[in-house]
Amino acid sequence: MTENKLPNRFYLYLFIVAFAVNWIWEVSQTFAFDMNGVSTGKMLLFCTFASVIDGIVTVLIFWLLRKFIEELGWKFFLAAAVLGALTAVFFEQTAFNFNLWSYDEEMPVIPVIGTGLLPLVQLTLLVPLAIFISKKLWFSKNNKLGE
């Protein structure tokens, strides 16, 4: 099986990996958000929901890029990072417009765009990382099975 002919199951696999790495990031960055009055349960629920969205975004970015860049090489991963960064800026600006969350003083904010550094770094790094991990694990597993 080559990377040019990935089955639909790979997309589910990618979603699971993206969800997992994003959930860890989401929970670990909560210190930089204004969490006054939010219970641990609600915080974990919100982080889980955000991670589902992050997983879906990762799959959509992968799917979109596969239409234009077949080989999963450096150009693919660079494009995934750029689309991840643009998505992060869009999400943060949308969240501020609808007052969905706010930053604590612990969050470094990028002056020109007003986006927190941690959310920007999150999708910039984790979208390509989830794709890379999924690719490595998928081909390792499927080569052992002789597929």
Side-chain angles (χ1 to χ4, degrees), residues 5-134:
K5 296 185 180 191
L6 291 170
N8 289 336
R9 290 180 310 176
F10 179 82
Y11 291 88
L12 177 60
Y13 200 80
L14 174 59
F15 172 80
I16 292 167
V17 170
F19 171 83
V21 297
N22 278 284
W23 191 85
I24 292 167
W25 186 288
E26 292 284 354
V27 171
S28 67
Q29 74 174 350
T30 57
F31 73 91
F33 287 85
D34 182 6
M35 303 297 277
N36 291 333
V38 177
S39 69
T40 301
K42 284 184 181 179
M43 180 270 299
L44 290 174
L45 183 63
F46 183 80
C47 288
T48 300
F49 176 73
S51 298
V52 167
I53 300 300
D54 296 334
I56 291 169
V57 164
T58 301
V59 170
L60 289 174
I61 288 172
F62 179 81
W63 175 82
L64 178 68
L65 288 176
R66 291 285 290 177
K67 301 289 183 196
F68 300 101
I69 308 170
E70 272 194 33
E71 185 181 338
L72 299 181
W74 72 269
K75 289 179 184 177
F76 190 94
F77 290 103
L78 179 61
V82 169
L83 289 177
L86 292 172
T87 302
V89 171
F90 172 76
F91 280 172
E92 294 301 299
Q93 295 305 316
T94 302
F96 290 138
N97 289 338
F98 289 100
N99 293 319
L100 297 177
W101 61 75
S102 60
Y103 299 143
D104 197 352
E105 65 268 358
E106 300 289 326
M107 176 68 77
V109 176
I110 301 167
V112 176
I113 58 178
T115 297
L117 180 63
L118 295 176
L120 180 66
V121 170
Q122 177 183 356
L123 289 181
T124 302
L125 292 180
L126 296 188
V127 169
L129 179 64
I131 294 168
F132 178 79
I133 291 170
S134 297

